[in-house]
Amino acid sequence: LWGTPTSMSALRYTFEISRKPRSLMLHFVVPSVLFYLVSWMGLWIDAGSAPARATLGVTPVLIMTNRLIGLRSAMPPISYPVRLENFMLAT
């Protein structure tokens, strides 16, 4: 059977994948920026009221940590960081 021509058939299919980042923007990016701005409000509070300053400093950190955990649970497991995670860590 060596040297006999064989016929082969192939199937080629092309598909397009598109993302709609609006949901991620509304659920992660916008709140991240808002909590970042709120954390800076502690600079305008009187230095004598330490509990209020500490609350405005710690609360956004806790909220952002919770949001980052929510983002990681919403995405498929991967071994490398994505841009949104880097953005949230930077804010």
Side-chain angles (χ1 to χ4, degrees):
L1 299 176
W2 293 96
T4 59
T6 59
S7 64
M8 298 181 74
S9 61
L11 175 66
R12 175 181 250 174
Y13 185 77
T14 305
F15 58 95
E16 182 178 326
I17 297 175
S18 64
R19 293 181 5 176
K20 296 180 180 176
R22 185 170 191 256
S23 173
L24 290 176
M25 290 290 287
L26 290 176
H27 290 104
F28 293 105
V29 175
V30 172
S32 298
V33 171
L34 291 176
F35 290 128
Y36 179 75
L37 295 174
V38 166
S39 69
W40 281 92
M41 288 177 58
L43 297 175
W44 286 280
I45 294 179
D46 182 33
S49 59
R53 290 179 68 121
T55 300
L56 279 177
V58 172
T59 303
V61 172
L62 295 174
I63 291 172
M64 290 306 297
T65 303
N66 187 15
R67 302 296 274 171
L68 189 58
I69 291 171
L71 173 67
R72 287 186 180 157
S73 67
M75 295 183 66
I78 52 176
S79 62
Y80 54 88
V82 295
R83 289 183 190 168
L84 187 55
E85 284 181 358
N86 293 337
F87 172 78
M88 290 180 68
L89 286 172
T91 58

